[in-house]
Amino acid sequence: MRTGPLLVAVALGTLVSVGLGVYGRLHEPTFFAVSVTGFSSGTAVKSWLGTAAFVLVLVQVVSARLMYRGGGRFGAALHRWSGRAAVLLTVPVAVHCLYALGYQDSTPRVLVHSLAGCAVYGAFVAKMLLLGRPGGPRWAVPVLGALLFVALTALWLTSSLWFFTTSGLTF
């Protein structure tokens, strides 16, 4: 077992996380909201896209379990495609958060949200870099997947769930 690929993947994932945080902190927020027809606000768009991504993350957990229990091609395909869709749903949210709002720490909820947002993409990068790399530790990809799940769950709890509990299930 070689640890080199793991160290490189974790180092690059960490650089992505820190880089996003530094950019979000140094960038002057524009407060320009994502506008999608049918939604009342940028926050509503982000909350619904985040909720859809969170549902797909739950599918990721189920499909990962299927893969590791011999779910074959179906489990692997479900995992791969639900993951791709989840990441695609998070990209406009992340762009909006970084560009319009930046990295913030005004309240504990907002701080956790900012940290989790940076961690999501760092964990994602590290996990993707390790996939298909022979000779690495077998536990690394599931651990990074679990970290990604925890970070996305924290994001959903500190944004979408918060929005829905304070504003209702509005579009």
Side-chain angles (χ1 to χ4, degrees):
M1 171 176 59
R2 298 176 308 151
T3 58
L6 174 62
L7 294 175
V8 169
V10 169
L12 290 173
T14 301
L15 285 173
V16 167
S17 291
V18 171
L20 288 172
V22 168
Y23 172 80
R25 185 57 135 184
L26 297 178
H27 170 73
E28 187 69 34
T30 63
F31 301 106
F32 178 77
V34 171
S35 179
V36 176
T37 303
F39 288 93
S40 60
S41 68
T43 308
V45 172
K46 290 173 20 179
S47 296
W48 285 103
L49 288 176
T51 297
F54 181 67
V55 168
L56 289 170
V57 166
L58 296 175
V59 171
Q60 286 275 284
V61 172
V62 170
S63 61
R65 194 168 166 97
L66 277 174
M67 286 188 332
Y68 283 96
R69 292 204 168 176
R73 289 184 183 178
F74 174 74
L78 181 61
H79 192 75
R80 199 168 28 256
W81 284 101
S82 62
R84 289 173 179 160
V87 169
L88 286 175
L89 288 172
T90 67
V91 169
V93 175
V95 168
H96 171 80
C97 286
L98 280 170
Y99 187 72
L101 305 172
Y103 182 97
Q104 296 184 20
D105 57 6
S106 57
T107 68
R109 178 191 66 82
V110 172
L111 174 61
V112 168
H113 183 75
S114 292
L115 291 170
C118 295
V120 161
Y121 286 97
F124 174 74
V125 165
K127 182 182 174 193
M128 293 303 106
L129 288 173
L130 282 180
L131 284 176
R133 299 274 188 242
R138 292 179 49 90
W139 54 264
V141 170
V143 166
L144 289 168
L147 177 60
L148 191 51
F149 171 76
V150 168
L152 275 163
T153 300
L155 275 179
W156 185 78
L157 291 171
T158 59
S159 60
S160 299
L161 182 62
W162 174 84
F163 175 78
F164 294 138
T165 57
T166 59
S167 302
L169 293 174
T170 60
F171 284 96

